[in-house]
Coordinates of all heavy atoms in Angstrom, one line a residue:
Chain A
R54 N -7.2 5.4 20.5 CA -6.3 4.9 21.5 C -6.0 3.4 21.3 O -4.8 3.0 21.3 CB -6.8 5.2 22.9 CG -5.8 5.0 24.0 CD -6.4 5.2 25.4 NE -7.5 4.2 25.7 CZ -7.2 2.9 26.0 NH1 -6.0 2.5 26.1 NH2 -8.2 2.1 26.2
L55 N -7.0 2.7 21.0 CA -6.9 1.3 20.7 C -6.0 1.0 19.5 O -5.3 0.1 19.4 CB -8.3 0.6 20.6 CG -9.1 0.5 21.9 CD1 -10.5 0.1 21.6 CD2 -8.4 -0.5 22.8
Y56 N -6.2 1.9 18.5 CA -5.4 1.8 17.3 C -3.9 2.1 17.6 O -3.1 1.4 17.1 CB -6.0 2.8 16.3 CG -5.2 2.9 15.0 CD1 -5.2 1.8 14.1 CD2 -4.6 4.0 14.6 CE1 -4.5 1.9 12.9 CE2 -3.9 4.1 13.4 CZ -3.8 3.0 12.6 OH -3.1 3.1 11.4
E57 N -3.7 3.1 18.3 CA -2.3 3.5 18.7 C -1.7 2.3 19.5 O -0.5 2.1 19.3 CB -2.2 4.7 19.5 CG -2.4 6.0 18.7 CD -2.3 7.3 19.5 OE1 -1.3 7.4 20.3 OE2 -3.2 8.1 19.4
E58 N -2.5 1.7 20.3 CA -1.9 0.6 21.1 C -1.9 -0.8 20.3 O -1.6 -1.8 20.9 CB -2.8 0.4 22.3 CG -2.6 1.5 23.4 CD -3.5 1.4 24.5 OE1 -4.4 0.5 24.6 OE2 -3.5 2.3 25.4
E59 N -2.3 -0.7 19.0 CA -2.3 -1.9 18.2 C -3.2 -3.0 18.7 O -3.0 -4.2 18.5 CB -0.9 -2.4 17.9 CG 0.0 -1.4 17.3 CD 1.3 -2.0 16.7 OE1 1.7 -3.1 17.1 OE2 1.8 -1.3 15.8
E60 N -4.3 -2.5 19.3 CA -5.4 -3.5 19.6 C -6.3 -3.5 18.4 O -6.8 -4.6 18.1 CB -6.2 -3.0 20.8 CG -5.5 -3.1 22.2 CD -5.5 -4.6 22.6 OE1 -6.5 -5.3 22.4 OE2 -4.4 -5.0 23.1
Y61 N -6.6 -2.4 17.8 CA -7.4 -2.3 16.6 C -6.5 -2.0 15.4 O -5.5 -1.3 15.6 CB -8.4 -1.1 16.8 CG -9.7 -1.5 17.5 CD1 -9.8 -2.7 18.2 CD2 -10.7 -0.6 17.6 CE1 -10.9 -3.0 18.9 CE2 -11.9 -0.9 18.3 CZ -12.0 -2.2 18.9 OH -13.1 -2.5 19.6
F62 N -6.9 -2.5 14.2 CA -6.2 -2.1 13.0 C -7.2 -1.5 12.0 O -8.3 -1.1 12.5 CB -5.5 -3.4 12.5 CG -4.4 -3.8 13.4 CD1 -4.6 -4.6 14.5 CD2 -3.1 -3.3 13.1 CE1 -3.5 -5.0 15.3 CE2 -2.0 -3.6 14.0 CZ -2.3 -4.5 15.0
I63 N -6.8 -1.4 10.8 CA -7.7 -0.7 9.8 C -9.1 -1.2 9.7 O -10.0 -0.4 9.7 CB -7.0 -0.6 8.4 CG1 -5.5 -0.1 8.5 CG2 -7.8 0.3 7.5 CD1 -5.4 1.3 9.0
P64 N -9.3 -2.5 9.5 CA -10.7 -2.9 9.4 C -11.6 -2.5 10.6 O -12.7 -2.0 10.4 CB -10.6 -4.5 9.3 CG -9.2 -4.7 8.8 CD -8.4 -3.6 9.4
E65 N -11.0 -2.6 11.8 CA -11.8 -2.3 13.0 C -12.1 -0.8 13.0 O -13.2 -0.3 13.3 CB -11.0 -2.6 14.3 CG -10.9 -4.1 14.5 CD -9.8 -4.8 13.7 OE1 -9.0 -4.1 13.1 OE2 -9.8 -6.1 13.7
L66 N -11.0 0.0 12.6 CA -11.2 1.5 12.6 C -12.3 1.9 11.6 O -13.1 2.8 11.9 CB -9.9 2.1 12.1 CG -9.3 3.3 12.9 CD1 -9.5 3.1 14.4 CD2 -7.9 3.5 12.5
L67 N -12.3 1.2 10.5 CA -13.4 1.5 9.5 C -14.8 1.2 10.0 O -15.7 2.0 9.8 CB -13.1 0.8 8.2 CG -11.8 1.2 7.4 CD1 -11.6 0.2 6.3 CD2 -11.9 2.6 6.9
L68 N -14.9 0.1 10.7 CA -16.2 -0.3 11.2 C -16.6 0.6 12.3 O -17.8 0.9 12.4 CB -16.2 -1.8 11.7 CG -16.1 -2.8 10.5 CD1 -15.7 -4.2 11.0 CD2 -17.4 -2.9 9.8
C69 N -15.7 1.0 13.2 CA -16.0 1.9 14.2 C -16.5 3.2 13.7 O -17.5 3.8 14.1 CB -14.8 2.2 15.1 SG -14.3 0.8 16.1

Side-chain angles (χ1 to χ4, degrees):
Chain A
R54 196 183 60 74
L55 290 167
Y56 175 67
E57 281 180 52
E58 287 173 2
E59 302 199 337
E60 285 289 320
Y61 278 9
F62 290 88
I63 309 291
E65 290 80 12
L66 223 45
L67 293 172
L68 288 166
C69 293

